[in-house]
Amino acid sequence: MTAVAARQGVDIRAIANAFAPGAFRVDPLGLVSGFKAYLIYSALAAKSDAELAAMGLKRETLGRTAMEAVNILRAA
C-alpha cells in the first residue's frame, strides 16, 4: 500500500477484493489489469460523495485508487 493510501486510512485491498476479486497470473498486454481497473473505477465512481468519504476516498483520487488496487491484486 502506498504512503498516500495508508495516511488516508483507506483499505485498498478490501476495495480490490470487493469490486474485482481474484488474483491473476497471466496478463497479456495488460488487458486483465486494465479491465479490473475499469471495474473498480466504475464501482467507485457510481458511489455518492458521502459514500466515498465514508470509505476515506475523494472523487479526485479514484483513478489512482483503482490502479493501486490492481497492483495489489497483481502482487497477490
XYZ file of all heavy atoms in Angstrom:
553
model
N 0.856 -1.169 0.000
C 0.000 0.000 0.000
C 0.901 1.231 0.000
O 1.928 1.265 0.644
C -0.891 -0.048 1.234
C -1.956 0.960 1.199
S -3.154 0.935 2.562
C -3.257 -0.729 3.029
N 0.484 2.234 -0.698
C 1.312 3.427 -0.782
C 1.159 4.275 0.463
O 0.233 4.109 1.247
C 0.914 4.272 -2.010
O -0.396 4.751 -1.798
C 1.005 3.470 -3.282
N 2.057 5.217 0.605
C 2.007 6.111 1.768
C 0.744 6.961 1.750
O 0.181 7.264 2.788
C 3.246 6.999 1.788
N 0.283 7.340 0.550
C -0.917 8.165 0.445
C -2.124 7.397 0.976
O -2.895 7.897 1.768
C -1.166 8.596 -1.019
C -2.500 9.280 -1.156
C -0.051 9.509 -1.487
N -2.285 6.155 0.541
C -3.434 5.359 0.975
C -3.352 5.051 2.464
O -4.349 5.088 3.166
C -3.511 4.066 0.176
N -2.167 4.763 2.961
C -2.008 4.449 4.377
C -2.328 5.680 5.231
O -2.931 5.569 6.282
C -0.594 3.965 4.648
N -1.925 6.844 4.766
C -2.178 8.076 5.514
C -3.666 8.377 5.579
O -4.173 8.839 6.575
C -1.420 9.225 4.847
C -1.501 10.521 5.607
C -0.583 11.599 5.065
N 0.051 11.320 3.814
C -0.272 11.909 2.653
N -1.211 12.801 2.606
N 0.361 11.605 1.547
N -4.392 8.096 4.517
C -5.825 8.375 4.484
C -6.623 7.314 5.226
O -7.790 7.498 5.482
C -6.322 8.427 3.045
C -5.778 9.591 2.253
C -6.237 9.529 0.813
O -6.789 8.539 0.356
N -5.992 10.585 0.073
N -6.008 6.194 5.563
C -6.720 5.132 6.247
C -7.599 4.326 5.317
O -8.575 3.715 5.749
N -7.275 4.282 4.037
C -8.063 3.561 3.052
C -7.545 2.131 2.957
O -6.347 1.918 2.832
C -7.966 4.249 1.669
C -8.728 3.467 0.630
C -8.464 5.671 1.762
N -8.445 1.165 3.002
C -8.065 -0.234 2.849
C -8.200 -0.616 1.380
O -9.255 -1.054 0.925
C -8.936 -1.119 3.732
C -8.458 -2.555 3.749
O -7.429 -2.863 3.122
O -9.135 -3.376 4.398
N -7.113 -0.420 0.632
C -7.116 -0.659 -0.808
C -7.377 -2.134 -1.106
O -8.076 -2.468 -2.046
C -5.775 -0.211 -1.437
C -5.534 1.271 -1.187
C -5.739 -0.509 -2.928
C -6.476 2.187 -1.897
N -6.824 -3.037 -0.302
C -7.025 -4.470 -0.533
C -8.514 -4.826 -0.439
O -9.028 -5.595 -1.242
C -6.213 -5.296 0.445
C -6.340 -6.796 0.209
C -5.428 -7.590 1.104
N -4.020 -7.285 0.945
C -3.252 -7.737 -0.052
N -3.770 -8.496 -0.982
N -1.981 -7.422 -0.104
N -9.226 -4.253 0.518
C -10.660 -4.520 0.653
C -11.423 -4.008 -0.559
O -12.359 -4.660 -1.041
C -11.196 -3.886 1.922
N -11.035 -2.845 -1.075
C -11.674 -2.297 -2.266
C -11.424 -3.212 -3.458
O -12.335 -3.531 -4.215
C -11.163 -0.871 -2.551
C -11.667 0.083 -1.469
C -11.594 -0.398 -3.931
C -11.051 1.461 -1.526
N -10.193 -3.658 -3.619
C -9.843 -4.537 -4.737
C -10.637 -5.830 -4.673
O -11.186 -6.287 -5.679
C -8.347 -4.826 -4.724
N -10.721 -6.433 -3.506
C -11.431 -7.701 -3.376
C -12.943 -7.542 -3.499
O -13.629 -8.457 -3.936
C -11.070 -8.378 -2.057
C -9.659 -8.902 -2.068
O -9.148 -9.323 -3.103
N -9.007 -8.874 -0.930
N -13.463 -6.385 -3.132
C -14.907 -6.167 -3.212
C -15.381 -5.973 -4.648
O -16.425 -6.482 -5.039
C -15.298 -4.960 -2.372
N -14.616 -5.233 -5.438
C -15.081 -4.862 -6.773
C -14.463 -5.666 -7.907
O -15.014 -5.699 -9.005
C -14.850 -3.369 -7.022
C -15.579 -2.498 -6.040
C -14.905 -1.622 -5.234
C -16.952 -2.570 -5.913
C -15.569 -0.820 -4.328
C -17.639 -1.780 -5.014
C -16.945 -0.899 -4.215
N -13.331 -6.297 -7.699
C -12.682 -7.107 -8.735
C -11.910 -8.235 -8.065
O -10.683 -8.242 -8.051
C -11.756 -6.244 -9.585
N -12.633 -9.190 -7.467
C -11.955 -10.238 -6.694
C -11.115 -11.165 -7.562
O -11.357 -11.305 -8.750
C -13.114 -10.994 -6.056
C -14.273 -10.752 -6.953
C -14.070 -9.381 -7.513
N -10.142 -11.764 -6.914
C -9.311 -12.765 -7.580
C -7.997 -12.219 -8.078
O -7.932 -11.132 -8.626
N -6.969 -12.987 -7.824
C -5.640 -12.643 -8.336
C -5.520 -13.148 -9.773
O -6.291 -13.995 -10.212
C -4.567 -13.268 -7.460
N -4.572 -12.638 -10.476
C -4.341 -13.115 -11.830
C -2.844 -13.265 -12.054
O -2.047 -12.503 -11.536
C -4.978 -12.191 -12.875
C -4.643 -10.732 -12.725
C -3.634 -10.161 -13.462
C -5.371 -9.927 -11.856
C -3.347 -8.804 -13.338
C -5.093 -8.583 -11.733
C -4.078 -8.024 -12.464
N -2.491 -14.304 -12.794
C -1.073 -14.591 -13.030
C -0.643 -14.168 -14.425
O 0.467 -13.738 -14.619
C -0.813 -16.069 -12.813
C -1.037 -16.478 -11.395
C -0.911 -17.935 -11.215
N -1.419 -18.248 -9.876
C -0.959 -19.191 -9.126
N 0.005 -19.954 -9.554
N -1.463 -19.395 -7.931
N -1.518 -14.344 -15.375
C -1.194 -14.008 -16.754
C -1.973 -12.757 -17.129
O -3.180 -12.679 -16.909
C -1.572 -15.178 -17.693
C -1.259 -14.818 -19.130
C -0.855 -16.448 -17.277
N -1.276 -11.782 -17.676
C -1.909 -10.525 -18.053
C -1.428 -10.123 -19.446
O -0.575 -9.239 -19.587
C -1.564 -9.455 -17.017
C -2.376 -8.190 -17.196
O -3.338 -8.189 -17.989
O -2.040 -7.189 -16.548
N -1.975 -10.761 -20.483
C -1.493 -10.455 -21.829
C -1.796 -9.005 -22.219
O -2.953 -8.571 -22.178
C -2.253 -11.442 -22.716
C -3.465 -11.802 -21.931
C -3.071 -11.695 -20.486
N -0.750 -8.281 -22.513
C -0.832 -6.890 -22.961
C -1.526 -5.970 -21.964
O -2.011 -4.912 -22.321
C -1.549 -6.801 -24.318
C -0.962 -7.654 -25.449
C -1.846 -7.576 -26.679
C 0.454 -7.212 -25.758
N -1.615 -6.391 -20.710
C -2.236 -5.569 -19.686
C -3.750 -5.536 -19.766
O -4.391 -4.704 -19.121
N -4.339 -6.460 -20.512
C -5.790 -6.460 -20.687
C -6.526 -6.779 -19.395
O -7.538 -6.152 -19.076
C -6.196 -7.457 -21.778
C -5.703 -7.116 -23.179
C -6.031 -8.241 -24.137
C -6.313 -5.820 -23.649
N -6.042 -7.744 -18.646
C -6.713 -8.134 -17.405
C -6.628 -7.008 -16.385
O -7.625 -6.635 -15.765
C -6.118 -9.442 -16.843
C -6.736 -9.788 -15.502
C -6.310 -10.583 -17.831
N -5.442 -6.448 -16.216
C -5.299 -5.377 -15.231
C -6.096 -4.138 -15.645
O -6.693 -3.466 -14.800
C -3.825 -5.028 -15.004
O -3.218 -4.639 -16.197
N -6.142 -3.842 -16.921
C -6.937 -2.712 -17.395
C -8.416 -2.916 -17.151
O -9.122 -1.993 -16.731
N -8.903 -4.128 -17.392
C -10.316 -4.415 -17.164
C -10.650 -4.358 -15.683
O -11.685 -3.818 -15.296
C -10.688 -5.786 -17.742
C -12.133 -6.116 -17.577
C -13.110 -5.393 -18.250
C -12.522 -7.142 -16.746
C -14.456 -5.694 -18.093
C -13.863 -7.452 -16.582
C -14.837 -6.727 -17.259
N -9.783 -4.891 -14.835
C -10.022 -4.835 -13.390
C -9.996 -3.385 -12.894
O -10.803 -3.008 -12.041
C -9.021 -5.697 -12.638
C -9.325 -7.179 -12.818
C -8.578 -8.016 -11.849
C -8.937 -9.457 -12.044
N -9.692 -10.016 -10.946
N -9.085 -2.568 -13.419
C -9.053 -1.153 -13.034
C -10.356 -0.469 -13.442
O -10.918 0.335 -12.688
C -7.862 -0.454 -13.673
N -10.857 -0.809 -14.623
C -12.134 -0.264 -15.088
C -13.280 -0.665 -14.154
O -14.126 0.167 -13.800
C -12.415 -0.746 -16.515
C -13.848 -0.582 -16.935
C -14.350 0.667 -17.282
C -14.706 -1.669 -16.973
C -15.677 0.825 -17.655
C -16.026 -1.523 -17.347
C -16.507 -0.278 -17.690
O -17.807 -0.119 -18.052
N -13.327 -1.942 -13.751
C -14.384 -2.410 -12.850
C -14.348 -1.668 -11.513
O -15.384 -1.227 -11.004
C -14.236 -3.911 -12.588
C -14.552 -4.843 -13.745
C -14.248 -6.290 -13.348
C -15.988 -4.704 -14.184
N -13.152 -1.528 -10.969
C -13.008 -0.863 -9.673
C -13.367 0.613 -9.793
O -14.128 1.145 -8.979
C -11.580 -1.051 -9.128
C -11.339 -2.528 -8.815
C -11.338 -0.190 -7.892
C -9.889 -2.883 -8.564
N -12.842 1.273 -10.821
C -13.134 2.704 -11.000
C -14.629 2.925 -11.197
O -15.216 3.833 -10.609
C -12.354 3.260 -12.193
C -12.619 4.721 -12.404
C -11.895 5.671 -11.706
C -13.608 5.154 -13.280
C -12.152 7.027 -11.872
C -13.876 6.496 -13.445
C -13.145 7.427 -12.741
O -13.401 8.760 -12.908
N -15.268 2.101 -12.022
C -16.700 2.260 -12.291
C -17.532 2.077 -11.029
O -18.483 2.827 -10.793
C -17.155 1.257 -13.349
O -16.503 1.503 -14.565
N -17.179 1.088 -10.230
C -17.917 0.840 -8.988
C -17.755 1.999 -8.016
O -18.719 2.413 -7.360
C -17.456 -0.456 -8.356
N -16.554 2.540 -7.935
C -16.319 3.663 -7.032
C -16.965 4.941 -7.554
O -17.518 5.727 -6.786
C -14.816 3.873 -6.824
C -14.093 2.791 -6.033
C -12.588 3.054 -6.045
C -14.616 2.713 -4.612
N -16.914 5.158 -8.857
C -17.481 6.376 -9.440
C -18.997 6.418 -9.279
O -19.587 7.505 -9.249
C -17.106 6.471 -10.913
N -19.637 5.263 -9.167
C -21.085 5.211 -9.006
C -21.530 5.595 -7.596
O -22.708 5.848 -7.371
C -21.590 3.811 -9.345
N -20.606 5.658 -6.670
C -20.944 5.997 -5.284
C -21.069 7.520 -5.124
O -20.466 8.276 -5.861
C -19.879 5.456 -4.337
C -19.823 3.938 -4.346
C -19.019 3.429 -3.206
C -19.065 1.932 -3.136
N -20.366 1.386 -2.815
N -21.851 7.921 -4.148
C -22.011 9.346 -3.868
C -20.764 9.868 -3.141
O -19.957 9.086 -2.644
C -23.246 9.581 -3.004
O -23.037 9.060 -1.704
N -20.650 11.174 -3.071
C -19.524 11.770 -2.362
C -19.522 11.385 -0.891
O -18.475 11.167 -0.296
C -19.529 13.291 -2.511
C -19.151 13.738 -3.921
O -18.515 12.950 -4.642
O -19.502 14.871 -4.282
N -20.706 11.265 -0.297
C -20.797 10.874 1.109
C -20.326 9.432 1.310
O -19.626 9.127 2.285
C -22.232 11.023 1.600
N -20.696 8.543 0.384
C -20.247 7.153 0.483
C -18.736 7.048 0.319
O -18.080 6.283 1.027
C -20.938 6.291 -0.567
C -22.410 6.077 -0.318
C -23.092 5.363 -1.466
O -22.858 5.743 -2.637
O -23.864 4.441 -1.185
N -18.199 7.820 -0.615
C -16.746 7.819 -0.805
C -16.041 8.359 0.430
O -15.022 7.816 0.861
C -16.370 8.650 -2.035
C -16.761 8.062 -3.383
C -16.479 9.066 -4.494
C -16.056 6.755 -3.647
N -16.576 9.417 1.014
C -15.971 9.986 2.222
C -15.991 8.981 3.359
O -15.033 8.897 4.139
C -16.702 11.264 2.619
N -17.054 8.185 3.449
C -17.129 7.160 4.493
C -16.058 6.090 4.296
O -15.600 5.483 5.260
C -18.513 6.533 4.498
N -15.665 5.891 3.038
C -14.601 4.922 2.733
C -13.219 5.552 2.867
O -12.211 4.868 2.732
C -14.776 4.380 1.316
C -16.043 3.591 1.108
S -16.282 3.136 -0.615
C -15.017 1.900 -0.813
N -13.169 6.853 3.054
C -11.897 7.553 3.160
C -11.335 7.978 1.819
O -10.136 8.203 1.686
N -12.198 8.100 0.819
C -11.762 8.452 -0.534
C -12.343 9.791 -0.963
O -13.363 10.244 -0.444
C -12.226 7.385 -1.529
C -11.667 5.990 -1.342
C -12.374 5.024 -2.281
C -10.180 5.975 -1.603
N -11.693 10.387 -1.941
C -12.202 11.588 -2.596
C -12.380 11.254 -4.064
O -11.661 10.428 -4.624
C -11.214 12.741 -2.457
C -11.038 13.213 -1.038
C -10.083 14.374 -0.978
C -9.912 14.825 0.457
N -8.945 15.911 0.561
N -13.334 11.894 -4.693
C -13.604 11.616 -6.107
C -12.376 11.883 -6.987
O -12.144 11.189 -7.966
C -14.792 12.469 -6.571
C -15.333 12.040 -7.891
C -16.740 12.527 -8.126
N -17.711 12.042 -7.174
C -18.281 10.831 -7.205
N -17.950 9.989 -8.147
N -19.183 10.477 -6.312
N -11.547 12.841 -6.595
C -10.364 13.187 -7.390
C -9.314 12.072 -7.405
O -8.447 12.052 -8.271
C -9.698 14.457 -6.847
C -10.584 15.679 -6.851
C -11.465 15.755 -5.608
O -10.998 15.464 -4.496
O -12.643 16.104 -5.768
N -9.364 11.171 -6.434
C -8.331 10.138 -6.330
C -8.805 8.761 -6.791
O -8.100 7.779 -6.593
C -7.841 10.017 -4.870
O -8.933 9.598 -4.040
C -7.268 11.324 -4.377
N -9.960 8.679 -7.429
C -10.498 7.378 -7.809
C -9.614 6.642 -8.814
O -9.443 5.431 -8.713
C -11.915 7.519 -8.362
C -12.971 7.983 -7.371
C -14.343 7.977 -8.018
C -12.958 7.150 -6.115
N -9.066 7.340 -9.778
C -8.190 6.696 -10.761
C -6.958 6.084 -10.108
O -6.596 4.932 -10.380
N -6.334 6.852 -9.254
C -5.144 6.357 -8.554
C -5.499 5.186 -7.638
O -4.775 4.199 -7.559
C -4.500 7.485 -7.749
C -3.287 7.027 -6.971
C -2.610 8.145 -6.231
N -3.591 8.938 -5.506
C -3.414 10.202 -5.171
N -2.309 10.821 -5.500
N -4.324 10.858 -4.495
N -6.643 5.290 -6.966
C -7.079 4.217 -6.081
C -7.333 2.939 -6.861
O -6.949 1.849 -6.424
C -8.354 4.633 -5.324
O -8.085 5.831 -4.598
C -8.816 3.551 -4.385
N -7.968 3.049 -8.024
C -8.231 1.870 -8.856
C -6.925 1.214 -9.298
O -6.793 -0.019 -9.256
C -9.071 2.252 -10.070
N -5.947 2.000 -9.694
C -4.669 1.433 -10.126
C -3.908 0.820 -8.960
O -3.265 -0.219 -9.115
C -3.824 2.484 -10.843
C -4.375 2.874 -12.197
S -4.783 1.475 -13.282
C -3.191 0.735 -13.502
N -3.962 1.426 -7.797
C -3.321 0.838 -6.622
C -3.958 -0.498 -6.271
O -3.271 -1.451 -5.917
C -3.410 1.785 -5.430
C -2.517 2.999 -5.532
C -2.694 3.967 -4.375
O -3.461 3.661 -3.442
O -2.079 5.027 -4.408
N -5.267 -0.563 -6.386
C -5.984 -1.812 -6.104
C -5.570 -2.901 -7.092
O -5.363 -4.062 -6.696
C -7.492 -1.576 -6.162
N -5.423 -2.558 -8.355
C -4.991 -3.527 -9.355
C -3.577 -4.009 -9.053
O -3.270 -5.189 -9.160
C -5.082 -2.929 -10.775
C -4.364 -3.792 -11.795
C -6.542 -2.759 -11.163
N -2.713 -3.102 -8.650
C -1.339 -3.502 -8.306
C -1.326 -4.460 -7.124
O -0.512 -5.382 -7.088
C -0.484 -2.274 -8.031
C -0.178 -1.499 -9.281
O -0.200 -2.043 -10.383
N 0.060 -0.212 -9.137
N -2.213 -4.273 -6.170
C -2.303 -5.193 -5.037
C -2.793 -6.556 -5.501
O -2.266 -7.586 -5.097
C -3.222 -4.613 -3.945
C -2.490 -3.461 -3.244
C -3.624 -5.676 -2.935
C -3.337 -2.688 -2.289
N -3.799 -6.571 -6.389
C -4.289 -7.846 -6.914
C -3.214 -8.553 -7.709
O -3.083 -9.771 -7.641
C -5.509 -7.616 -7.795
C -6.809 -7.228 -7.118
C -7.873 -6.901 -8.156
C -7.267 -8.339 -6.191
N -2.441 -7.819 -8.460
C -1.386 -8.398 -9.286
C -0.305 -9.028 -8.413
O 0.245 -10.068 -8.736
C -0.766 -7.329 -10.179
C 0.216 -7.896 -11.185
C 0.829 -6.829 -12.040
N -0.204 -6.095 -12.756
C -0.087 -4.835 -13.146
N 0.989 -4.155 -12.834
N -1.041 -4.243 -13.801
N -0.021 -8.404 -7.278
C 1.030 -8.909 -6.393
C 0.570 -10.119 -5.577
O 1.397 -10.855 -5.059
C 1.473 -7.803 -5.444
N -0.729 -10.295 -5.469
C -1.253 -11.404 -4.631
C -1.010 -12.760 -5.253
O -0.788 -12.964 -6.359
C -2.744 -11.204 -4.398
